[in-house]
Amino acid sequence: MVAGRRSIALALPILAAALTVGVQASPAVPQANPRASEYAVQIQIPGQIPVLAGQHAAPPWGTANDGKFSYPDDGSVLQAATVTGRLSDAGGGETVRAGSDLTHLSLFGGEITADAVVTRAAASISRGHGSASFTGSSVTNLSVLGQPVTPTPHLRVPLADWGHAFLLEEEQTPITRAAVPTYHAWETAIDIWLDAPHGGLPTGTRILIGYVDALASAPPPSTPKPPPPPAAAPPPASAPPPPGSPQPPSNVINDVGLFPTLILPPPLQKSITSQGYVFPVYGVSGYGDTFGAPRGDVSGGWHHGDDIFAPLGAPVLAVADGVVFSVGPEKIGGNRLWLQDKAGNQFYYAHLSAYTPLARNGTQVHAGDVLGFVGNTGDAAGGPYHLHFEVHPASLLFLGYDGAVDPTPYLDAWRHLESVQFPSGVAWAPQPLRGLAPPPGAMLLQSSDISTASGLDPESLRRALAPHAGDALLLGGQRSSSRTAAK
């Protein structure tokens, strides 16, 4: 049993939300396996979903040619004649290479130009020892504000009074205290920051060009176990052990190899704990810090979030203003959805019993909006009702599913709402459970916009923001008033 970390003494009406859905195959979950990713361009505009071009991830390995790219359509901010991605592995993942190529790059109408941008990162690991290489990375004939610039690693270049740029940012990280040792390398060719509005973009905009990421992984070499010592009769209790006799093993747990070591950012990110974020469950609830606990299922071997225990049908809330995507059933998470806030951080909700009409791909929501209701769908079937909740900061999305951080400090800091507002047509009657059978409540009848992709797949956001026909309908008992206050 998990002890309640925080609760509110509010009487919560119970909504029975039994939902029967077809179970679909779970998308592949990134684990400590060899993998690589790259993108040619990412434009991060404050308050908007990042613009991505030439983005690819492996496996599967290969080369992709994406042609030309312009942003916006007239190319006034950025143009590239060709965009190519290259991802490969060798030796069963002992060496992983990632590459990104752009030709005839132009930014801000020619203020920054380059004939070619070539980014390369290779990570290798052998016998538990790793290395990285960025050989082949280059920016050919780079011109900044009319002046030629020779790129060197981590070179900072001022951009008049409106910004600055870093060239050939690179980093390598060993992860050796794990069941499967890995070595991680990444590089960004050009990283531009706007310190003032420029080219129609606001202050704080960031433009990354030529990003590559490679993670090599190989099992540690197997070593034969020493033969056990020959059995010997124990000495008399009153006599000390004879010199040279084998000592009893120490009571120390082997901390190497249970599950991958977690590489975490600083404890709290101000962008996630700032004013405006709310606790994801309305009413009485309890949770404990179970992030990182071992798990034997396909969730990567460890618990990527916290479980918030609450009654069946407790309203599940949007923690921030943002866009909903990847709504629908999934084998492990059951009825799940993702939410991305305006800073690019992503939040994962799982095991819902039902959705509200706001839980549709591409819907813009506000902090505190009711997205669904607590349940135990997916692999939680038959267990206690709870919301599985994860936090994926924008800065760690390149790690895939393993970019999650401990949600406990965020849950501790976020504000608990004292009232909630329900979308039109959602019935939430103030009636307690009587007996074992739940009372009538909300049920998802049909939906034509359910996404089957992982929330961490950027294509999920693109599909979510595309227009779809049909609405998710919720029908149930009597309608409640537009605002229900906790009593």
Side-chain angles (χ1 to χ4, degrees):
M1 179 178 292
V2 178
R5 174 66 64 91
R6 185 182 297 271
S7 62
I8 299 180
L10 301 174
L12 177 68
I14 304 301
L15 170 68
L19 177 62
T20 302
V21 296
V23 176
Q24 295 178 279
S26 171
V29 178
Q31 302 182 35
N33 297 320
R35 58 183 183 263
S37 64
E38 63 83 28
Y39 56 75
V41 176
Q42 182 176 171
I43 303 175
Q44 301 176 359
I45 302 174
Q48 298 185 24
I49 296 173
V51 175
L52 282 159
Q55 182 184 36
H56 305 94
W61 310 94
T63 299
N65 298 301
D66 295 288
K68 65 180 180 180
F69 174 73
S70 299
Y71 180 82
D73 291 341
D74 62 4
S76 58
V77 172
L78 187 147
Q79 295 183 63
T82 62
V83 170
T84 305
R86 310 174 189 276
L87 305 172
S88 64
D89 73 331
E94 291 188 348
T95 298
V96 172
R97 296 181 176 88
S100 175
D101 299 351
L102 295 89
T103 62
H104 301 293
L105 175 70
S106 175
L107 289 124
F108 301 113
E111 290 184 294
I112 302 173
T113 61
D115 289 348
V117 177
V118 177
T119 321
R120 297 287 186 269
S124 300
I125 190 164
S126 178
R127 300 183 181 275
H129 298 284
S131 62
S133 171
F134 305 98
T135 302
S137 297
S138 63
V139 182
T140 305
N141 293 333
L142 175 63
S143 174
V144 178
L145 303 180
Q147 299 297 318
V149 175
T150 301
T152 57
H154 305 288
L155 176 66
R156 188 182 191 277
V157 180
L159 302 174
D161 60 350
W162 50 267
H164 62 279
F166 295 99
L167 304 180
L168 301 179
E169 295 175 297
E170 58 189 45
E171 184 173 327
Q172 52 184 303
T173 306
I175 307 175
T176 55
R177 296 187 64 192
V180 180
T182 62
Y183 206 83
H184 181 210
W186 65 264
E187 184 178 45
T188 304
I190 304 175
D191 186 358
I192 298 171
W193 296 75
L194 297 193
D195 303 322
H198 188 71
L201 299 178
T203 301
T205 297
R206 186 181 183 189
I207 303 175
L208 299 104
I209 300 170
Y211 173 82
V212 292
D213 186 294
L215 186 140
S217 173
S222 58
T223 56
K225 295 182 179 180
S238 58
S245 62
Q247 299 297 312
S250 61
N251 187 23
V252 176
I253 297 176
N254 178 8
D255 63 347
V256 178
L258 295 180
F259 53 90
T261 301
L262 306 181
I263 306 301
L264 301 180
L268 287 177
Q269 309 235 345
K270 292 182 179 179
S271 65
I272 297 182
T273 57
S274 59
Q275 185 177 4
Y277 288 78
V278 302
F279 194 80
V281 175
Y282 172 68
V284 178
S285 65
Y287 61 96
D289 189 352
T290 57
F291 178 81
R295 288 291 188 271
D297 54 24
V298 296
S299 62
W302 51 277
H303 200 217
H304 288 64
D306 278 351
D307 292 333
I308 305 172
F309 295 89
L312 172 66
V316 171
L317 312 179
V319 298
D321 295 354
V323 60
V324 176
F325 65 105
S326 285
V327 181
E330 189 267 337
K331 182 178 179 180
I332 301 299
N335 300 322
R336 58 86 163 96
L337 60 83
W338 289 77
L339 172 69
Q340 176 163 299
D341 68 12
K342 293 182 178 180
N345 307 302
Q346 295 184 359
F347 308 93
Y348 178 59
Y349 300 70
H351 308 312
L352 305 183
S353 60
Y355 303 101
T356 74
L358 292 179
R360 296 192 306 159
N361 291 324
T363 300
Q364 299 283 341
V365 297
H366 298 288
D369 283 350
V370 181
L371 304 179
F373 305 95
V374 168
N376 61 351
T377 57
D379 68 352
Y385 302 116
H386 69 279
L387 170 70
H388 173 83
F389 181 75
E390 298 177 9
V391 174
H392 293 259
S395 60
L396 296 182
L397 294 183
F398 72 93
L399 292 175
Y401 190 59
D402 286 347
V405 299
D406 189 351
T408 307
Y410 308 123
L411 297 175
D412 289 343
W414 287 342
R415 178 171 56 97
H416 290 252
L417 294 187
E418 296 183 358
S419 64
V420 292
Q421 183 173 350
F422 289 89
S424 175
V426 175
W428 194 59
Q431 50 186 343
L433 286 174
R434 289 185 174 90
L436 297 178
M443 179 175 292
L444 178 66
L445 295 184
Q446 61 183 4
S447 177
S448 59
D449 64 343
I450 288 179
S451 169
T452 59
S454 165
L456 291 166
D457 176 10
E459 287 297 327
S460 296
L461 281 171
R462 295 192 183 96
R463 285 191 294 269
L465 293 175
H468 290 270
D471 291 327
L473 301 180
L474 279 165
L475 301 180
Q478 298 178 353
R479 294 191 179 189
S480 63
S481 60
S482 62
R483 178 170 293 274
T484 302
K487 298 180 179 180

